Amino acid sequence: MNINYRILNLSAWLATLAVVLIPGTAYTEDTPRTEYGFPIRFYTEYHHASPHDTIWFLSGVNIQVLSYLFNVLLIYAAIHVFLSIKKRITRSKE
């Protein structure tokens, strides 16, 4: 099986941009947090009572790398299937 690195690059960018472009899900029970990512949530931002408790920029953030890689894999598979179906349809029209 050959890996198409252009599709892999595109799927990695789409998974990353999903954090910014797709609204997150907010939870208010136990620990207030917002989860981002599509189709699987991999980026969690925790909301603390006072945001100036620390000087670190990413102190209230949890990034699950395995879930991110699974998102990239799912997006890669979806793009690959879409392009192969498109190729079959254009071939059958000729």
Side-chain angles (χ1 to χ4, degrees):
M1 180 177 156
N2 294 331
I3 297 174
N4 188 336
Y5 289 104
R6 290 183 77 183
I7 297 174
L8 184 65
N9 187 18
L10 177 66
S11 62
W13 276 107
L14 287 175
T16 304
L17 289 175
V19 172
V20 178
L21 299 176
I22 298 174
T25 304
Y27 297 100
T28 56
E29 66 270 359
D30 304 337
T31 306
R33 68 188 187 277
T34 305
E35 295 180 351
Y36 299 96
F38 182 79
I40 297 171
R41 311 279 184 199
F42 65 91
Y43 182 87
T44 305
E45 180 182 357
Y46 295 98
H47 308 289
H48 300 291
S50 64
H52 301 291
D53 287 343
T54 181
I55 61 171
W56 295 103
F57 176 65
L58 294 174
S59 64
V61 171
N62 180 19
I63 300 172
Q64 298 172 354
V65 178
L66 190 59
S67 295
Y68 171 74
L69 293 177
F70 194 62
N71 273 352
V72 171
L73 179 67
L74 286 174
I75 294 170
Y76 176 85
I79 293 172
H80 190 69
V81 166
F82 174 75
L83 290 178
S84 65
I85 290 172
K86 182 182 171 189
K87 183 187 267 185
R88 285 184 187 177
I89 290 173
T90 56
R91 254 194 248 154
S92 66
K93 288 182 179 181
E94 292 177 355

